[in-house]
Amino acid sequence: MARSINESGSSWVFPDGPLEEIASRCDVITAASLVGSCKFYHDSATQSVALPASQPFGMPCVLHTHQTEVPPAHNPFSRVHKFKQEGAQKDKQHDAKDRKGTLCQLTPLDRISSDAVIPDGGTGMWAGANGDWIALLGFPWNWELVNVYTGRRIPLPPISEFKSTPDKLVFESNDQHLQLLKIAICRVPTAASNYTSFSVLAIFNAAIAVLHCASSRWTVLDNQFLAYGYSDAIIHKGIVFAVTQTGEVYAWNQLSWGPLLISTAPIPPELDEQGRYNLGSWWLARSPDGSRLFLVHTWGVTDGRDYTGLVRILPAAATSEGRHGRTIRGYGKGLLGCEVYSMDTSQLMPPRPWRRIISLGSYSLFLGVNYPIIIPVEDGAEHDRPNMARSNSVYTSHHAVGLAYPPSPEICRFSLNSEDCTVGFQTNIRWTWRQVPLWLIPSFANARQWNLPSRHRLCRGGGDGHLEALTGDNIDLIAAHLDVTYTVRLAACSRELYDMISKDEGKMHHWDEPCLLMPPPAYWFDEHWDVARASRLHDTVYDLVPLDHPRRSVALPFMHDRKWLGANGDWIAAADHHEWCLVNVYTERHIPLPSLPDSKIDHSSFSYQPAYSFNWGPAIDLLKIVICQVPTKGGRYADYKLIALFDKTIFYLEGGGDWRMLEALTPAPDYPNYCDAIELRGHVFAVDETDGSTYFWDTANENLMLPFVIPPPVVDDQQYAWFLAPSADGKRLMIILTVNKIGIANAEVPPDIPYAANGLQLRQYPPVATYVFELDPLSTARAGDFLWRQVNSLSDHSLFLGLNYPIIANLKKRESKAPDGTLVPFMRKNCVYTAYRNIRYNQYPKILRCNLQPDEGETVGVISLPKDGWDSVRQAAMWFKPALNIARSVLPLKKQ
């Protein structure tokens, strides 16, 4: 098992169940690819109980277009992948062109939709699916079979008898226009045949073509008897069967005979009289044991075409309810319907009659552009409501690609139980997709064939972690979809993984760059909560937002029912209703903190409040916990130094000791109004927001005598926001002040400017005064002369201030100004960035960037977060710098 860091200090990188921990944070397809990457993970997955709970493996899902596509930097298929040659260790380019992927959604019937990254050809269109394979259409004649888990591609030859047109779905043959309906993958490629043997049908409105090998030619099946266009076709017992739009079924035996009209439509009299069958679709499938041919007729589902002269059925939804982020509508009896017929095809001359099927037993059929799926489905109930997944039912999606109008309803469940009504839902709000929805069952059942096809087994891999098989494209695939914390854990598994992730050619995580740690957008509003968090694992997954790059997720399981109070490096100070603690972001090491002394703080008056509300003479409020020195392994994790900053008092704690109150002894009611504090060179400094006076105490003195008071560097009538920070070399104290309120004349609010790089909203405000001063507090205290010196430039550095311990980032490679004077790039050197000053700072959110050397007329950059819902946000945004170097401290000593 992979290593993780536990409470006893032993070096383990992952908690129990590493597969579930990683796979649950990947999209569905990536998680299955991970299972197939090495034997260790495959064996773990087959025995896992928790994995199916995190991903919809084995569940029939609707694969459909996502609202957005994967950015190239996050797209594991956008780079040229490498693979190991059998029997050799050198790398080769897999393809001459880049392999691209599309962010899609898999919608299970009774779960919230999950993300899925499907490889495609950039402009490829889904035209069929079966098992692990999908058929992609490009132009001209760029047809391929693609494995959704491995990205393996099998090009299909053009049909020599047909001529392409500007429309990739329309072809010409003998002055006849042919419309492609779908590609039926009747027999999938396998490793046993070296992926060269398979069977596919190209189904057109007036032609059927069959192909059994990539190196052979298509065979076009003639039909001089065809009067109406085809609707569906399959291969059953070596014979090609096709059904027309009016229910006639034809058969071809490619070796001896065909076509043969084996039946006309078996339409019940009541449907024939009303003409409803003309509005239906015809489908072909096989019985569960593969012995009989099924003919399925669905009717009542309409589209936007004109049905002049026919009885058009307009299904009016009788009931509707929202479930799992989608609206399920029920339709009364007689509006929509389905019939299933069965035939024994062992004798076709003359053919045997169709038999009506009144029950599929425990099985259900899933029909669409995909090859027919018939599997057993368990009935169940959720909160006293029947599940969408039901046995003895027929599920349908689009019957062809490139439909001019969507079917309505789009996804239907027809029950063969006479007492059940038909239900349906839509996959997207608008008709904007370029991909047709189809049925797909995510699975790693064929994982043993994915890596080493000629050996028919998975790569075993050596070493304790069994993770050295995760190299090359597998690492890119996984790291692109892991959150930041679990990417660090993956990097700590071996030196090879660390080296590969640290190179990070795609710049997916932007290590060592200050980012905003903040709740995801779903936390800001109450409406559509289930939809907004559809792809979230749980409510302890937050956003980590670089200022000029796409946002990443960060999993903080320890934050469940907790509020963060401050941060420094890899550590977060957090509190719930019972205790304060320090927790490492990556290792989840938990250090409980002692309670404040009862002689100083009255806890009983605020027993109903969280652990950051207290009573001390006057009521006091905790502003933040300042982690002045983080715990280290060398200090047995007891060498930390903390400041509990309240608005009217301060407590100081060194690891292994108790909290000590730092008193200013100002007479009531003129208590100090603290707003920031730090520890520097054995002294605690705190600034008073009222006038900018700075108090400091010598922590080496156990009695903590009365503090020195440093006068403010600026005295005027302006209201400032005050911050404290150490200098870059840690020797001098810096005080930073910005105007507390910004705005423009007549209280006008500038418009939001969407920033596509990370999804934030930016605003421009007129310049505000921002000053930085510094002094050596110890030498000036001895001399009794406190003289602040103004700092006019931070050179290649920028300051990031807020709830976190001050971050002084070296941004040597960044510019100090935008070349064209615009707001972006937002990350710049020689700037001061301020975020929320404390956990109770509920003023309208503003995150500022102020340049210390602005050009004339240069505006202040502001990150605007939603004002609505601010009171319900549990966590205030703060600065956090993700670091990969912690993985080096827990790497195994022996190179794996």
Side-chain angles (χ1 to χ4, degrees):
M1 180 175 291
R3 297 183 175 180
S4 73
I5 298 176
N6 57 25
E7 191 63 31
S8 63
S10 59
S11 50
W12 297 92
V13 176
F14 286 108
D16 291 339
L19 174 66
E20 291 86 344
E21 294 290 346
I22 297 179
S24 62
R25 285 158 176 80
C26 297
D27 71 276
V28 183
I29 302 302
T30 303
S33 301
L34 170 61
V35 171
S37 62
C38 69
K39 187 177 186 301
F40 170 69
Y41 271 180
H42 182 269
D43 292 345
S44 299
T46 55
Q47 302 171 15
S48 173
V49 177
L51 188 59
S54 62
Q55 302 287 9
F57 290 127
M59 298 182 181
C61 303
V62 182
L63 176 66
H64 57 94
T65 301
H66 201 280
Q67 293 291 342
T68 59
E69 293 191 354
V70 181
H74 290 249
N75 192 338
F77 293 99
S78 65
R79 295 179 292 278
V80 176
H81 281 221
K82 297 180 179 179
F83 72 105
K84 275 187 178 178
Q85 276 192 324
E86 180 186 356
Q89 298 299 319
K90 64 180 182 178
D91 291 333
K92 278 190 173 183
Q93 285 191 349
H94 185 55
D95 286 312
K97 60 181 181 179
D98 288 353
R99 292 164 54 188
K100 297 182 178 180
T102 300
L103 179 62
C104 308
Q105 281 194 321
L106 276 172
T107 299
L109 294 174
D110 293 297
R111 289 176 59 165
I112 291 176
S113 299
S114 302
D115 289 347
V117 176
I118 302 295
D120 67 12
T123 58
M125 177 183 292
W126 304 337
N130 190 355
D132 303 341
W133 297 83
I134 58 175
L136 290 177
L137 304 180
F139 177 83
W141 284 118
N142 185 18
W143 292 7
E144 295 177 307
L145 299 182
V146 181
N147 189 297
V148 297
Y149 304 107
T150 67
R152 178 182 291 274
R153 295 173 178 273
I154 302 175
L156 302 180
I159 303 176
S160 57
E161 292 87 346
F162 298 165
K163 179 182 177 181
S164 62
T165 68
D167 187 337
K168 68 175 65 176
L169 297 179
V170 177
F171 301 84
E172 294 180 351
S173 177
N174 299 325
D175 297 328
Q176 182 182 17
H177 288 275
L178 301 176
Q179 176 82 27
L180 180 67
L181 304 181
K182 60 181 175 180
I183 301 291
I185 309 175
C186 305
R187 182 165 58 90
V188 300
T190 61
S193 65
N194 200 23
Y195 300 99
T196 59
S197 179
F198 50 84
S199 296
V200 295
L201 296 176
I203 306 172
F204 298 84
N205 61 335
I208 302 287
V210 60
L211 178 70
H212 295 290
C213 179
S215 60
S216 63
R217 296 180 55 187
W218 290 89
T219 300
V220 178
L221 304 180
D222 296 326
N223 188 356
Q224 65 273 27
F225 308 112
L226 182 66
Y228 297 95
Y230 292 115
S231 178
D232 198 9
I234 66 170
I235 296 179
H236 175 60
K237 294 184 177 181
I239 298 174
V240 177
F241 292 89
V243 61
T244 68
Q245 297 174 6
T246 52
E248 292 87 5
V249 178
Y250 294 88
W252 293 262
N253 184 326
Q254 299 177 68
L255 300 178
S256 56
W257 51 263
L260 175 67
L261 176 62
I262 63 173
S263 74
T264 56
I267 299 298
E270 64 273 14
L271 292 185
D272 193 16
E273 292 174 359
Q274 299 183 39
R276 295 185 183 180
Y277 70 92
N278 289 296
L279 301 180
S281 296
W282 293 89
W283 319 75
L284 291 175
R286 304 174 67 191
S287 61
D289 60 3
S291 63
R292 302 176 67 85
L293 180 69
F294 279 179
L295 176 64
V296 182
H297 178 224
T298 59
W299 51 268
V301 180
T302 66
D303 54 28
R305 293 177 293 177
D306 182 14
Y307 295 92
T308 304
L310 298 176
V311 178
R312 184 177 181 183
I313 308 299
L314 294 176
T319 61
S320 64
E321 61 173 326
R323 300 189 65 189
H324 307 296
R326 64 193 75 102
T327 301
I328 307 297
R329 290 183 169 86
Y331 301 88
K333 296 180 181 180
L335 293 177
L336 298 90
C338 174
E339 296 86 33
V340 180
Y341 302 90
S342 171
M343 175 185 287
D344 181 358
T345 59
S346 59
Q347 176 181 321
L348 294 176
M349 298 181 186
R352 295 178 177 178
W354 291 104
R355 292 176 46 204
R356 178 80 176 268
I357 300 295
I358 60 174
S359 175
L360 295 173
S362 61
Y363 288 83
S364 284
L365 261 171
F366 297 84
L367 306 174
V369 171
N370 54 281
Y371 202 68
I373 299 172
I374 184 166
I375 57 173
V377 177
E378 294 184 2
D379 292 330
E382 182 180 287
H383 305 298
D384 300 325
R385 295 180 296 178
N387 285 355
M388 271 291 291
R390 303 284 297 277
S391 62
N392 194 31
S393 299
V394 175
Y395 295 82
T396 63
S397 178
H398 295 214
H399 68 275
V401 297
L403 296 178
Y405 302 95
S408 177
E410 183 188 10
I411 308 298
C412 291
R413 185 195 71 197
F414 300 92
S415 176
L416 296 189
N417 298 324
S418 58
E419 65 274 10
D420 293 340
C421 66
T422 300
V423 297
F425 66 89
Q426 307 294 122
T427 60
N428 288 285
I429 298 175
R430 296 173 297 173
W431 179 241
T432 58
W433 51 72
R434 67 179 178 90
Q435 304 287 17
V436 58
L438 50 82
W439 295 101
L440 182 75
I441 301 179
S443 171
F444 50 85
N446 299 323
R448 290 185 174 275
Q449 302 183 25
W450 291 347
N451 287 307
L452 298 176
S454 61
R455 298 181 186 178
H456 307 292
R457 65 177 178 84
L458 292 174
C459 174
R460 288 183 177 274
D464 296 335
H466 298 276
L467 291 169
E468 54 280 3
L470 304 181
T471 57
D473 57 349
N474 280 320
I475 289 298
D476 286 343
L477 191 67
I478 295 166
H481 297 278
L482 283 181
D483 62 85
V484 175
T485 52
Y486 278 83
T487 300
V488 173
R489 295 186 180 194
L490 184 65
C493 292
S494 72
R495 297 183 189 277
E496 288 86 350
L497 295 179
Y498 177 85
D499 292 341
M500 185 166 297
I501 293 176
S502 63
K503 291 177 183 177
D504 198 11
E505 296 177 359
K507 296 296 180 186
M508 294 174 289
H509 291 289
H510 303 280
W511 304 111
D512 298 320
E513 183 175 296
C515 306
L516 277 173
L517 178 61
M518 55 189 287
Y523 280 54
W524 293 86
F525 303 99
D526 294 331
E527 63 270 23
H528 309 301
W529 172 258
D530 56 339
V531 178
R533 60 180 296 201
S535 60
R536 301 278 176 184
L537 177 65
H538 44 58
D539 59 1
T540 57
V541 177
Y542 296 90
D543 277 354
L544 194 63
V545 188
L547 295 186
D548 294 302
H549 303 284
R551 64 182 64 202
R552 303 294 297 176
S553 62
V554 53
L556 305 176
F558 56 86
M559 288 305 301
H560 176 65
D561 204 24
R562 282 193 173 115
K563 189 182 188 70
W564 61 52
L565 309 176
N568 188 356
D570 307 331
W571 294 84
I572 283 181
D576 55 20
H577 288 260
H578 308 288
E579 69 165 5
W580 293 354
C581 63
L582 294 179
V583 187
N584 189 287
V585 170
Y586 304 111
T587 67
E588 297 182 23
R589 175 182 286 276
H590 175 273
I591 302 176
L593 300 178
S595 300
L596 295 175
D598 292 334
S599 61
K600 302 291 185 180
I601 293 292
D602 179 11
H603 295 267
S604 60
S605 300
F606 286 82
S607 59
Y608 64 92
Q609 292 281 3
Y612 46 86
S613 296
F614 303 93
N615 195 24
W616 169 69
I620 58 175
D621 292 326
L622 178 67
L623 304 183
K624 62 180 177 179
I625 296 292
V626 184
I627 307 176
C628 306
Q629 181 173 302
V630 300
T632 63
K633 184 177 181 181
R636 296 182 178 274
Y637 299 100
D639 52 347
Y640 54 85
K641 297 179 180 180
L642 307 177
I643 296 174
L645 179 64
F646 291 82
D647 55 348
K648 298 180 180 65
T649 189
I650 293 176
F651 285 84
Y652 178 71
L653 174 68
E654 292 184 355
D658 295 319
W659 289 99
R660 295 186 289 170
M661 177 181 281
L662 308 184
E663 299 190 45
L665 291 184
T666 53
D670 297 327
Y671 296 103
N673 186 21
Y674 297 121
C675 60
D676 201 6
I678 65 168
E679 190 268 352
L680 179 68
R681 298 167 63 185
H683 293 72
V684 172
F685 298 85
V687 61
D688 190 326
E689 187 174 28
T690 304
D691 60 1
S693 298
T694 301
Y695 300 81
F696 77 97
W697 297 260
D698 183 359
T699 60
N701 190 329
E702 293 185 0
N703 296 323
L704 289 176
M705 300 175 63
L706 295 180
F708 285 97
V709 180
I710 305 175
V714 175
V715 178
D716 56 28
D717 296 332
Q718 184 67 263
Q719 292 184 348
Y720 293 103
W722 302 85
F723 299 89
L724 295 177
S727 60
D729 59 8
K731 296 181 179 180
R732 296 177 302 282
L733 176 70
M734 293 197 298
I735 188 168
I736 302 95
L737 52 154
T738 65
V739 173
N740 196 23
K741 294 183 179 181
I742 64 173
I744 56 180
N746 302 321
E748 296 179 7
V749 178
D752 285 337
I753 304 172
Y755 192 14
N758 53 24
L760 295 176
Q761 300 289 330
L762 307 181
R763 288 181 182 175
Q764 298 185 87
Y765 280 89
V768 297
T770 301
Y771 306 103
V772 177
F773 297 88
E774 68 175 9
L775 57 74
D776 184 341
L778 302 188
S779 61
T780 54
R782 287 190 292 267
D785 188 9
F786 298 101
L787 294 177
W788 292 99
R789 183 182 68 87
Q790 185 169 357
V791 178
N792 295 314
S793 174
L794 296 173
S795 185
D796 293 332
H797 296 79
S798 283
L799 272 169
F800 295 82
L801 309 171
L803 192 61
N804 52 283
Y805 193 77
I807 298 174
I808 306 176
N810 190 330
L811 303 177
K812 184 176 181 180
K813 297 181 180 180
R814 293 278 187 163
E815 299 293 334
S816 60
K817 300 177 177 63
D820 55 359
T822 59
L823 281 174
V824 297
F826 204 81
M827 178 79 79
R828 302 176 188 175
K829 61 185 179 182
N830 197 31
C831 291
V832 174
Y833 294 81
T834 62
Y836 301 114
R837 298 157 56 191
N838 57 68
I839 60 174
R840 296 178 175 275
Y841 190 66
N842 59 359
Q843 182 178 340
Y844 174 58
K846 58 178 181 288
I847 299 173
L848 304 182
R849 180 198 64 203
C850 300
N851 196 327
L852 287 187
Q853 295 178 330
D855 291 334
E856 184 177 355
E858 182 177 344
T859 58
V860 173
V862 175
I863 295 176
S864 174
L865 297 180
K867 185 174 182 180
D868 296 334
W870 164 248
D871 293 337
S872 64
V873 176
R874 295 183 58 240
Q875 312 288 6
M878 63 180 175
W879 301 106
F880 180 82
K881 187 166 69 172
L884 191 64
N885 56 7
I886 188 178
R888 297 177 62 90
S889 64
V890 294
L891 281 174
L893 295 179
K894 181 180 178 181
K895 189 174 182 179
Q896 294 184 7

